[in-house]
Amino acid sequence: MNEKPFLTDIQTLRERARTHIEEGAVTPGYQADREQVVKILNDALATEIVCVLRYKRHYFMANGIHARSVADEFLQHANEEQVHADRIAERIVQLGGEPDLAPDSLTSRSHAEYKEGGDLVDMIREDLVAERIAIDSYAEMIRYVGDDDPTTRRLLEDVLGQEEEHADDMKTLLEEMLKGPESRKGRPAEPAASSARRS
Ligand SMILES: [Fe+2]
Ligand SMILES: [Fe+2]
């Protein structure tokens, strides 16, 4: 059998783990450029927060125009973008960085834009554009991280998968809206009480 060395020898591993213990999860074996990874994660964090705000705006504005199922979709996406933001912020701290949530610079650091949109179709279209931007930027981040930081990569891959679902949701909604109310008759029943949605 081919003897392929798998790990650094145990003694070296143990010694390395004891140096710089204040760095927590970041060991001397960490392969990526930590500062750069924290920076791209902070840009992603800004993007997620802007997406939360945009979807929330769309949720509340869609409410008034009898578009409950679309509003529900906006709210669900807003909540999922918030989960993305929280997971990214957690990873930043794990890497010894600080999550940048300064509101003044959020929109300039975000990849996606905050677009209020006019009518429902406009809002959905803006959300689809934003999701497509997110998909491209997460794919690029994943390529950048490569094999140097598997935990960050896994996180980015998870988020990317969900952004793709979001884009697909928005594409379907947009198609339905453009086809007119007839096409929405086949949609599953909407939740009865609007109070349930706001809880
Ligand atoms: Fe997201
Ligand atoms: Fe998304």
Side-chain angles (χ1 to χ4, degrees):
M1 229 174 77
N2 230 345
E3 285 283 321
K4 186 179 173 189
F6 172 61
L7 275 176
T8 312
D9 70 275
I10 289 174
Q11 198 54 38
T12 311
L13 270 180
R14 287 177 179 171
E15 278 164 16
R16 276 199 330 210
R18 283 180 186 282
T19 56
H20 303 295
I21 55 169
E22 72 283 358
E23 296 197 336
V26 182
T27 65
Y30 184 76
Q31 303 264 317
D33 176 342
R34 183 162 46 144
E35 261 177 46
Q36 192 58 28
V37 172
V38 167
K39 194 209 165 287
I40 63 168
L41 287 177
N42 260 319
D43 291 346
L45 176 61
T47 306
E48 294 293 348
I49 298 292
V50 166
C51 289
V52 172
L53 297 173
R54 196 192 56 255
Y55 273 124
K56 279 274 172 124
R57 156 88 187 190
H58 292 177
Y59 164 65
F60 286 114
M61 292 306 285
N63 242 352
I65 39 184
H66 311 294
R68 193 176 289 161
S69 62
V70 178
D72 283 343
E73 197 83 27
F74 288 156
L75 181 60
Q76 192 195 329
H77 284 201
N79 292 338
E80 286 168 355
E81 309 297 13
Q82 184 65 60
V83 173
H84 297 168
D86 293 347
R87 290 186 63 191
I88 290 167
E90 244 168 44
R91 182 61 184 156
I92 289 171
V93 173
Q94 237 173 25
L95 289 172
E98 293 179 12
D100 187 350
L101 289 164
D104 283 355
S105 59
L106 273 183
T107 46
S108 60
R109 291 184 291 118
S110 165
H111 301 132
E113 291 171 284
Y114 178 87
K115 293 274 193 187
E116 294 179 344
D119 58 12
L120 210 49
V121 169
D122 217 26
M123 293 180 205
I124 298 169
R125 192 177 280 126
E126 288 304 337
D127 291 326
L128 177 54
V129 169
E131 294 295 352
R132 287 169 57 82
I133 292 170
I135 289 168
D136 271 353
S137 61
Y138 278 113
E140 205 168 308
M141 287 183 240
I142 290 164
R143 281 195 293 276
Y144 170 78
V145 171
D147 295 329
D148 294 340
D149 179 345
T151 308
T152 297
R153 185 193 166 104
R154 214 161 47 237
L155 166 64
L156 295 171
E157 285 172 344
D158 278 358
V159 175
L160 172 61
Q162 211 154 27
E163 308 303 8
E164 286 175 349
E165 281 172 27
H166 288 172
D168 201 47
D169 292 343
M170 290 299 117
K171 173 181 168 277
T172 307
L173 276 184
L174 188 62
E175 284 168 355
E176 284 179 1
M177 295 298 294
L178 293 175
K179 272 189 239 157
E182 284 301 304
S183 71
R184 289 198 297 283
K185 281 187 177 161
R187 284 177 71 83
E190 295 162 357
S194 65
S195 58
R197 218 175 58 230
R198 289 168 178 275
S199 62

